[in-house]
Amino acid sequence: MDTAGYGVDWYLKKEENTPEPSPIPQGPVRSVAAALQAGNLNYYLWRDQNERLTKRLGMYCFDEDREGLWARMSSSSIGSGSVYGSDARVKTYTLGYDFKHHAAAPHPTADGKKDVDFSGVAFSYTSGKSDMNGYNVYDDLRVNGGTSDIRGGAVTVYHTHISNPGLYRDYTARYSSYDNDFRFDGVQGSVKSRGFQLGAEYGYRWENDKGIFVTPNTQLTLGRLYNRDFTTSHGVHVAAGYVNSAVVSFGVDAGKMFSKQSQIYAKIRYNKELGDTVRAAFQQDQTSLFCDGGSNRQWWEYGLGADFKTGKTTHIYMDAERATGSNFQKDWSWRIGTRFDF
């Protein structure tokens, strides 16, 4: 065609198809998510089951004057809402014995109370199940999550000294182990954890002549949780190493005595983790990956408790609490125990 006299010539050209960019994954691969969920749960459970004086023996510990055998059962629902979280329901059974130290020169006060000094040992067994969180990898691809079976045990030794007019100190050493066997959207594996903890708690119990008491307290717990290497059913090798933990806690218990050695109380506690988070390295063939599980750094606990003298040498104590903070949740936890004096 003659285009003379026109300033622009126009041509038609076939449009080329450009490939669509690959969608960005919204979540980790299944083996990574499964291993970190199970590892986080072991860590949360290990940390949550650390012993404190009133958690171990109730408020009756401040009136303890003889050796005794005690037993306790607890149940809790803990977990996390993140992609590396799960919701677990666990029960723990504990049996312990207190050995009183007979001081050569006790120092009684005007009300007849004297220093209390005792040591003890306790054995615990834990079992439970968890629901592991699912998540979306892409908008049209979802990982359905899974379940896991938890079992474990612990041995705790402790020493307590309660002096007048209400100061106390409590020291604990604890060894614990947890096995978490998971099934996560076709991936299977087992996270095995072994941990050591050393704790030191200090507090003061103030009480007036009407039976109202307030007990501020603080605790430092140092620990290390070892995680054994394992390989998932899909051939992914997981090396989680260990987690160093340093938890600082500040709390207060307040309540009222209704009769001799029977009381009710409320409690609140702030906890701060100064140590590591749960991490793991993953390898399959020539591909490797390192991930942080995002375990939480701080949380609050609050609850109610009661102690009752049920006989000349028997007591029953119980409490219930919740915890929240960061991505850690304890929907509920309750304990009930009994002690027999000798």
Side-chain angles (χ1 to χ4, degrees):
M1 177 184 296
D2 184 5
T3 59
Y6 294 90
V8 179
D9 291 339
W10 296 91
Y11 298 92
L12 295 178
K13 184 177 180 181
K14 183 178 180 180
E15 182 180 358
E16 295 181 0
N17 292 327
T18 58
E20 292 292 333
S22 300
I24 300 175
Q26 300 173 8
V29 297
R30 288 176 297 173
S31 292
V32 171
L36 287 177
Q37 284 191 26
N40 268 339
L41 181 56
N42 283 10
Y43 163 73
Y44 286 141
L45 189 60
W46 172 69
R47 194 181 66 181
D48 185 62
Q49 292 190 337
N50 179 46
E51 291 285 358
R52 296 193 306 272
L53 178 58
T54 56
K55 182 178 178 180
R56 186 170 65 242
L57 293 173
M59 288 294 177
Y60 168 68
C61 61
F62 293 102
D63 297 302
E64 184 172 358
D65 194 36
R66 289 180 290 187
E67 294 190 359
L69 176 71
W70 57 275
R72 184 186 69 201
M73 182 182 74
S74 64
S75 180
S76 60
S77 173
I78 64 173
S80 169
S82 71
V83 68
Y84 297 129
S86 56
D87 299 309
R89 296 159 302 283
V90 296
K91 287 184 170 61
T92 301
Y93 306 89
T94 305
L95 183 67
Y97 193 90
D98 296 335
F99 304 89
K100 181 185 176 184
H101 300 286
H102 298 279
H107 303 286
T109 59
D111 60 4
K113 292 184 178 181
K114 56 186 178 181
D115 291 0
V116 176
D117 199 40
F118 61 92
S119 301
V121 60
F123 304 90
S124 301
Y125 172 75
T126 297
S127 65
K129 294 182 178 294
S130 79
D131 295 322
M132 306 175 73
N133 296 343
Y135 59 92
N136 289 331
V137 179
Y138 304 107
D139 290 337
D140 57 350
L141 177 60
R142 178 172 177 79
V143 171
N144 293 320
T147 62
S148 73
D149 298 318
I150 310 155
R151 61 190 180 278
V155 178
T156 305
V157 294
Y158 51 89
H159 175 76
T160 305
H161 181 82
I162 303 173
S163 60
N164 292 305
L167 295 171
Y168 75 88
R169 56 185 184 268
D170 183 65
Y171 306 105
T172 60
R174 185 170 181 264
Y175 169 78
S176 52
S177 65
Y178 301 97
D179 292 350
N180 194 338
D181 301 327
F182 62 82
R183 299 162 298 280
F184 187 82
D185 199 29
V187 178
Q188 298 182 28
S190 181
V191 177
K192 300 181 184 298
S193 305
R194 307 291 183 264
F196 300 89
Q197 291 166 303
L198 295 174
E201 179 184 358
Y202 300 90
Y204 173 77
R205 178 179 168 109
W206 173 87
E207 184 177 346
N208 66 11
D209 56 2
K210 295 183 179 179
I212 296 174
F213 62 88
V214 178
T215 310
N217 54 80
T218 184
Q219 184 183 40
L220 172 65
T221 304
L222 303 177
R224 175 172 285 185
L225 183 68
Y226 293 89
N227 298 295
R228 186 179 300 175
D229 295 357
F230 69 97
T231 302
T232 70
S233 59
H234 282 201
V236 177
H237 181 72
V238 182
Y242 58 82
V243 179
N244 289 318
S245 175
V247 177
V248 179
S249 303
F250 303 93
V252 61
D253 306 325
K256 188 179 187 311
M257 297 276 294
F258 281 94
S259 61
K260 186 177 181 181
Q261 296 180 338
S262 293
Q263 52 205 307
I264 62 172
Y265 61 94
K267 58 182 177 177
I268 187 169
R269 178 182 279 297
Y270 171 76
N271 306 274
K272 175 72 172 180
E273 170 66 271
L274 303 175
D276 303 333
T277 61
V278 175
R279 300 180 176 94
F282 303 85
Q283 183 172 1
Q284 185 176 33
D285 299 327
Q286 301 302 315
T287 303
S288 61
L289 179 68
F290 182 81
C291 289
D292 189 319
S295 47
N296 79 303
R297 314 301 296 165
Q298 58 190 355
W299 68 102
W300 288 88
E301 295 174 317
Y302 52 93
L304 300 171
D307 290 28
F308 301 102
K309 184 177 177 64
T310 55
K312 185 177 180 180
T313 60
T314 58
H315 286 260
I316 291 178
Y317 54 97
M318 61 193 72
D319 72 347
E321 66 183 23
R322 291 172 59 92
T324 184
S326 298
N327 59 359
F328 171 68
Q329 298 173 341
K330 179 160 58 177
D331 294 332
W332 50 263
S333 176
W334 58 262
R335 287 178 288 271
I336 183 168
T338 185
R339 189 177 190 278
F340 304 90
D341 296 336
F342 300 108

